[in-house]
Amino acid sequence: SRVVPGRRPQLAPALKLALHISLVIALHASFCIGLARGGASALPVWACNKDYCDGTEAPAGQPICTRSRAGLGFYLLCCLYLLLSALQLKHGMPLIPTEHPLTGSAGLSRYYLHLAAMSFPFLWEMRTSLDWTVARTSLSLFEWLKLEDIYAGLVSVRATMAFKLRSPRGAQRTVETKLGTGALFVAAVLLLILGPMFVFSSANPISEANLVRSAQVRLTLRTPTGLFPLGATTRF
């Protein structure tokens, strides 16, 4: 993809390098302090019992320290991020790409991944707002959002036309297409409408009859001095 040149192309890699070094130091310092304090840091890899840190022997079969799988997994995830960040510093990356990922071809798999990415709440809005923040443009934020929305619509139309080109012009829809689209849609609508009715009806095989075993009515009179029973009746 083509890259929009900036005024200071060397400033961004320098800032990213400084951020990368700071994260490496902060991450490993946190884990090392946690190991030295017996798992007392915010990101412990080992969780140690403080009752036995003064030299007291633990009971037989009871470990003094146990490995924290959640902390170890988070540490490995941070190392993976630092590895990818180091590869970006080594090979470089475009600061402001003019083409977005998953939109460079009309393949259905990439198109469905593009739809899945846009389906996440506020993900598309955040990415578009960040692009507008760092891009050199005369458009306002709302104009940029409208432009990106038009581009997403064009990607959808291109994928639809590429799918239509696979069949001859004027060809009838196949039975598999009708069953996979129309029949499934009708079944889903019927399930949404009739499903709750079937669950709470007597036709549900897992439902149980709610039989009335007894009934009791009491009549009392409440006064400032207390309650006075007036009568009671019981049936069944």
Side-chain angles (χ1 to χ4, degrees):
S1 58
R2 185 171 58 88
V3 180
V4 179
R7 295 182 179 179
R8 297 180 179 179
Q10 301 299 328
L11 180 60
L15 293 176
K16 184 172 179 58
L17 178 61
L19 177 62
H20 181 82
I21 296 175
S22 302
L23 289 177
V24 170
I25 296 175
L27 175 66
H28 291 85
S30 176
F31 278 100
C32 291
I33 293 175
L35 291 176
R37 294 182 178 179
S41 68
L43 302 173
V45 179
W46 291 88
C48 299
N49 193 341
K50 297 181 179 180
D51 297 335
Y52 307 112
C53 293
D54 55 353
T56 305
E57 295 185 0
Q62 181 178 357
I64 299 178
C65 296
T66 57
R67 179 178 297 177
S68 174
R69 296 184 178 180
L72 182 60
F74 184 76
Y75 174 74
L76 294 177
L77 186 63
C78 293
C79 290
L80 178 61
Y81 165 76
L82 294 175
L83 174 62
L84 296 177
S85 179
L87 291 177
Q88 289 178 351
L89 289 172
K90 179 180 178 180
H91 300 287
M93 60 177 296
L95 297 180
I96 308 175
T98 56
E99 292 185 3
H100 304 302
L102 306 177
T103 60
S105 65
L108 291 180
S109 59
R110 297 173 65 89
Y111 171 65
Y112 288 138
L113 289 176
H114 173 69
L115 288 182
M118 293 191 63
S119 299
F120 281 94
F122 304 107
L123 180 61
W124 179 81
E125 289 80 3
M126 291 181 60
R127 191 264 301 169
T128 306
S129 300
L130 289 175
D131 288 346
W132 178 83
T133 303
V134 299
R136 300 175 60 187
T137 177
S138 59
L139 300 177
S140 64
L141 175 59
F142 298 102
E143 292 173 343
W144 188 279
L145 290 172
K146 186 63 177 179
L147 181 63
E148 291 292 328
D149 184 59
I150 294 174
Y151 180 76
L154 291 176
V155 172
S156 177
V157 171
R158 183 176 60 180
T160 303
M161 296 306 296
F163 177 75
K164 290 182 177 181
L165 289 176
R166 296 182 179 183
S167 59
R169 179 179 298 180
Q172 297 292 331
R173 295 294 180 179
T174 61
V175 179
E176 293 80 4
T177 304
K178 291 180 177 294
L179 292 178
T181 305
L184 286 181
F185 178 76
V186 174
V189 173
L190 291 177
L191 182 62
L192 289 176
I193 296 176
L194 302 178
M197 299 173 60
F198 175 76
V199 170
F200 295 102
S201 67
S202 59
N204 190 353
I206 63 174
S207 63
E208 297 181 358
N210 189 11
L211 301 177
V212 179
R213 302 185 182 276
S214 64
Q216 186 178 21
V217 178
R218 292 182 179 180
L219 182 62
T220 58
L221 179 64
R222 181 186 295 271
T223 63
T225 58
L227 295 176
F228 298 93
L230 300 180
T233 179
T234 303
R235 291 293 182 269
F236 305 106

